[in-house]
Amino acid sequence: AILPEEEIPFSLAPGGKKVLAGALGIVNLVGALYLGVLLRDPYLIYKVGPGFAFAIKGLFPYLLTYAVGFNAIPFFRNLANRAKNADIEARNYFRTLWASQQSKAGVQRKIKEARRYRPQSRKLTQDKAIYSTAKDLDEQERFRNPDKEKMKAFDQQLIDKQPQPQPGRGARVPEKRRDRTY
């Protein structure tokens, strides 16, 4: 008994709504293409007025892009879903094949033998845990530095032993020569 992987549906909408959406997409595309033919008419400005004609000409590329996208996006999504569903169908086939092979007596004996050799699982308890997110890192004993005070003292000794610059013995900074042009 296997649990098959479900295929990805194109849409969860009922069939009638999918048909209406497809028809709307076709009407939208045909209407945009027809509008493009109408906009080629040189006398359009005289028929509908210059303001309206220029507004429609300005909006036409966006209307056409929308109409093409409204049809192209579902088309390419359908192609991608078909490829994914073919992969799912192949995985389901191999699951069924392996399930039928597993029911054979020889395979069952091998699985039982392999279970004998698997490492025993260990239960992790709170006292065996190395790190826990329940407490801050500073609060956890295992991550505290026991020599923290010694380290601070050592750092202070290094700071104290650094030579201090003496007055008048600092590094000489060469003066800029004024006779050259840069």
Side-chain angles (χ1 to χ4, degrees):
I2 63 163
L3 185 62
E5 189 176 351
E6 291 183 14
E7 292 186 356
I8 301 169
F10 175 73
S11 173
L12 298 177
K17 288 189 178 183
K18 285 190 268 189
V19 170
L20 286 175
L24 176 66
I26 292 170
V27 167
N28 193 358
L29 185 61
V30 169
L33 293 175
Y34 181 69
L35 181 62
V37 170
L38 290 178
L39 289 176
R40 290 184 183 169
D41 183 9
Y43 299 109
L44 179 69
I45 295 173
Y46 303 112
K47 292 178 183 175
V48 295
F52 186 70
F54 288 122
I56 295 299
K57 280 186 179 182
L59 290 176
F60 176 70
Y62 301 108
L63 293 171
L64 187 61
T65 302
Y66 175 77
V68 170
F70 192 87
N71 289 293
I73 290 171
F75 175 75
F76 288 116
R77 187 168 149 245
N78 187 31
L79 291 180
N81 277 358
R82 283 185 184 181
K84 288 177 186 176
N85 286 339
D87 291 343
I88 290 171
E89 190 175 324
R91 287 194 298 267
N92 283 340
Y93 170 75
F94 285 116
R95 279 190 191 102
T96 307
L97 187 66
W98 279 106
S100 67
Q101 291 295 322
Q102 189 180 16
S103 64
K104 294 183 179 176
V107 175
Q108 286 293 332
R109 183 178 42 80
K110 288 179 184 179
I111 291 173
K112 189 175 181 182
E113 187 69 22
R115 283 189 183 134
R116 271 189 24 193
Y117 292 109
R118 75 175 175 199
Q120 295 298 319
S121 60
R122 294 179 286 170
K123 193 169 190 177
L124 185 63
T125 58
Q126 186 66 28
D127 59 328
K128 292 183 181 179
I130 294 174
Y131 174 74
S132 171
T133 57
K135 295 181 182 176
D136 249 356
L137 190 61
D138 294 335
E139 297 173 14
Q140 297 186 37
E141 284 295 323
R142 290 194 173 128
F143 292 101
R144 284 193 182 163
N145 188 354
D147 300 324
K148 194 173 191 177
E149 295 302 319
K150 290 181 185 177
M151 296 297 281
K152 280 185 180 179
F154 180 73
D155 288 343
Q156 189 59 43
Q157 284 179 353
L158 288 177
I159 292 171
D160 293 342
K161 288 187 178 183
Q162 283 183 344
Q164 300 296 324
Q166 296 179 1
R169 292 192 161 203
R172 267 186 39 177
V173 179
E175 292 182 24
K176 233 182 191 180
R177 296 183 75 185
R178 304 211 187 270
D179 57 343
R180 293 185 182 168
T181 57
Y182 294 99

